[in-house]
Amino acid sequence: KNEVEQSPQNLTAQEGEFITINCSYSVGISALHWLQQHPGGGIVSLFMLSSGKKKHGRLIATINIQEKHSSLHITASHPRDSAVYICAVREGGAQKLVFGQGTRLTINP
Amino acid sequence: DAGITQSPRHKVTETGTPVTLRCHQTENHRYMYWYRQDPGHGLRLIHYSYGVKDTDKGEVSDGYSVSRSKTEDFLLTLESATSSQTSVYFCAISESRADALEAFFGQGTRLTVV
């Protein structure tokens, strides 16, 4: 079992739908990150969270430390949001980074 | 975008040959990382560097070596490539280990070992 599990692995939705991607982890962490990987392969950082909630444009990320769970939400989804979204955690103390397998999101027009 | 360039972007090589991938940054960041990305796995750390000539192993370091003779360059070498090293390799940089998740990634190198 991976230390970081994402669900779903694949998600297809229509333009405008509200999207939720989930990340669960089994280790104690000091921070969690959401990354976006475009079809061309480039990876960009979206959020880093240690508690609560962050919002950037149509993207919202939340984390519940007690439940070891984070969600990434996309409001009013658009085809340009199509990408692989990756959850990564930094284990507290060990400074080790562990990545989830990613969620492939496809938004159809 | 952070100034980070990987070369080559694509390479096909034969089993048993040595291969070197280059990561070049213009941000003067202290930390540099090499990851591999494979289907069914998340990004996995191969090696990282915390300064010139200072490197350490990641979780999948077997079969790989690295060198950092200048702040801006981090080289990943496969001494004798194997088919299991067919993968997409990403370089990343960050200002400090503490904010390693605030890293900037290169575009990736797709390596095929035949």
Side-chain angles (χ1 to χ4, degrees), chain A residues 79-96:
Chain A
R80 64 175 175 265
D81 297 325
S82 297
V84 175
Y85 292 84
I86 301 168
C87 171
V89 302
R90 175 155 54 90
E91 293 187 6
Q95 292 290 330
K96 177 185 175 184

Side-chain angles (χ1 to χ4, degrees), chain A residues 7-45:
Chain A
S7 63
Q9 291 188 357
N10 294 282
L11 177 59
T12 300
Q14 291 300 119
E15 183 174 356
E17 288 188 35
F18 181 83
I19 303 299
T20 296
I21 299 170
N22 297 299
C23 176
S24 297
Y25 51 91
S26 58
V27 296
I29 70 168
S30 54
L32 180 143
H33 210 260
W34 284 100
L35 308 168
Q36 180 190 54
Q37 184 172 20
H38 298 289
I43 298 173
V44 297
S45 300

Side-chain angles (χ1 to χ4, degrees), chain B residues 23 25 27-30 32 51-52 68-74:
Chain B
C23 179
Q25 62 146 328
E27 303 297 318
N28 201 35
H29 284 356
R30 179 181 174 190
M32 299 185 75
V52 173
R68 192 164 177 204
S69 59
K70 298 184 290 185
T71 298
E72 57 266 34
D73 289 324
F74 192 32

Side-chain angles (χ1 to χ4, degrees), chain B residues 4 23-25 29-35 45 47-51 54 68 70-75 91-94:
Chain B
I4 177 170
C23 179
H24 178 77
Q25 62 146 328
H29 284 356
R30 179 181 174 190
Y31 284 86
M32 299 185 75
Y33 312 82
W34 276 108
Y35 295 94
L45 182 65
H47 282 278
Y48 71 99
S49 169
Y50 47 96
D54 292 323
R68 192 164 177 204
K70 298 184 290 185
T71 298
E72 57 266 34
D73 289 324
F74 192 32
L75 303 181
C91 175
I93 62 175
S94 68

Side-chain angles (χ1 to χ4, degrees), chain B residues 6-100:
Chain B
Q6 289 183 231
S7 59
R9 292 292 312 279
H10 302 271
K11 186 169 182 66
V12 180
T13 192
E14 293 185 350
T15 299
T17 61
V19 177
T20 296
L21 308 183
R22 180 179 183 241
C23 179
H24 178 77
Q25 62 146 328
T26 58
E27 303 297 318
N28 201 35
H29 284 356
R30 179 181 174 190
Y31 284 86
M32 299 185 75
Y33 312 82
W34 276 108
Y35 295 94
R36 60 178 290 174
Q37 185 179 42
D38 303 289
H41 295 274
L43 286 157
R44 292 180 293 174
L45 182 65
I46 305 171
H47 282 278
Y48 71 99
S49 169
Y50 47 96
V52 173
K53 293 185 172 31
D54 292 323
T55 65
D56 205 350
K57 295 179 179 179
E59 61 182 302
V60 289
S61 59
D62 289 347
Y64 301 95
S65 62
V66 289
S67 66
R68 192 164 177 204
S69 59
K70 298 184 290 185
T71 298
E72 57 266 34
D73 289 324
F74 192 32
L75 303 181
L76 176 71
T77 298
L78 291 65
E79 300 292 347
S80 177
T82 67
S83 58
S84 65
Q85 293 176 311
T86 292
S87 186
V88 180
Y89 292 85
F90 285 94
C91 175
I93 62 175
S94 68
E95 288 188 313
S96 73
R97 196 66 177 96
D99 64 356

